[in-house]
Amino acid sequence: MSVSVCIKDNNFTLHPLGGIFWQEKSMLLISDVHLGKIAHFRKFGAAVPRKATHKNYLLLDKIVSYFNPFQICFLGDLFHSTLNKEWELFENWVAKTPAEIILVSGNHDIISPDKFEQLGIPIFQELVLGDFLLTHHPEEREGLFNFCGHIHPAIKLKGFGRQNLRLSCFFKSKNQLIFPAFGEFTGTHTLKPKKNDEVFVIVEDEVVKV
């Protein structure tokens, strides 16, 4: 189940897979997919199941078909490493995805921009769209609301007894919203909300405000 929020008179839908749909622009925003990371780890001997590679593409297909966006904007760290065997899978995914794709570059996006441009994917260091600043790393810019990734945010919640849960989340402060990592096998970083922060955790295919 998704959750809708209104920011600066624009409407956004937070999806439990970790993406946000910007309704006014028909734009799907996704951060930190880290494609190629599994192939990268397998190359160096890590015991990661091969089928985990395909799960990212299945999840991408699922969220794209749900919203049917005009554009998909990746907020950095789309591809984790240098070119590896997974690039061909990515090429095939782009070829069959009808939406226009753009990339805001992240620190892991080290593949030559020419490779992306050959697929029709323009790359930007940042994007300013109306009152919104789209970046990979969290930024503060006067008068703009920042959408970003990089942190892979999560929060700790206390369950029954002494049980502690650490859940990925959308982490919203006054002028910023940090996306959870979309990709499998990415890890998280625990944040502590302040008084006026809003946290939307992802749990069992639902987005829940806590």
Side-chain angles (χ1 to χ4, degrees):
M1 193 171 82
S2 303
V3 169
S4 294
V5 296
C6 184
I7 304 170
K8 289 185 175 287
D9 296 322
N10 282 249
N11 296 287
F12 301 89
T13 303
L14 283 56
H15 191 277
L17 286 179
I20 294 180
F21 183 64
W22 188 346
Q23 296 178 23
E24 284 76 9
K25 292 194 174 295
S26 187
M27 176 185 283
L28 177 60
L29 300 162
I30 295 172
S31 190
D32 296 273
V33 186
H34 289 273
L35 298 174
K37 185 173 186 177
I38 293 165
H40 176 76
F41 275 77
R42 284 178 61 86
K43 179 180 177 181
F44 292 97
V48 184
R50 190 182 301 273
K51 65 181 180 181
T53 297
H54 295 279
K55 187 169 184 182
N56 279 331
Y57 295 96
L58 293 174
L59 296 176
L60 284 169
D61 284 341
K62 185 175 180 179
I63 195 169
V64 170
S65 64
Y66 183 84
F67 289 113
N68 193 25
F70 177 72
Q71 280 186 319
I72 303 169
C73 178
F74 290 102
L75 298 178
D77 288 2
L78 173 55
F79 210 87
H80 178 79
S81 60
T82 54
L83 281 175
N84 59 36
K85 293 179 180 178
E86 202 175 323
W87 182 259
E88 187 175 337
L89 291 176
F90 177 62
E91 288 181 321
N92 292 337
W93 182 81
V94 171
K96 72 180 183 66
T97 300
E100 178 186 337
I101 299 171
I102 56 179
L103 171 62
V104 174
S105 184
N107 52 294
H108 277 282
D109 293 307
I110 58 176
I111 293 172
S112 169
D114 293 340
K115 297 294 289 183
F116 287 99
E117 288 168 7
Q118 287 169 14
L119 300 180
I121 302 174
I123 300 179
F124 304 90
Q125 292 302 310
E126 64 178 42
L127 279 174
V128 177
L129 301 175
D131 293 326
F132 297 89
L133 171 66
L134 279 52
T135 60
H136 176 62
H137 291 87
E139 298 282 351
E140 292 184 15
R141 199 78 52 84
E142 188 174 348
L144 296 176
F145 188 92
N146 178 219
F147 284 118
C148 60
H150 184 62
I151 303 292
H152 303 192
I155 66 163
K156 282 186 178 179
L157 297 176
K158 289 185 178 179
F160 295 108
R162 297 183 180 180
Q163 182 186 27
N164 283 320
L165 299 174
R166 186 166 67 171
L167 299 172
S168 294
C169 65
F170 298 91
F171 196 94
K172 182 179 178 293
S173 52
K174 182 180 178 182
N175 293 309
Q176 186 175 77
L177 192 153
I178 307 174
F179 281 60
F182 186 91
E184 294 282 297
F185 200 63
T186 52
T188 57
H189 176 69
T190 302
L191 298 178
K192 292 185 177 180
K194 297 177 183 176
K195 182 180 179 182
N196 294 319
D197 293 339
E198 295 178 86
V199 176
F200 302 86
V201 298
I202 298 170
V203 54
E204 296 182 355
D205 297 324
E206 287 192 42
V207 178
V208 180
K209 187 176 180 180
V210 296

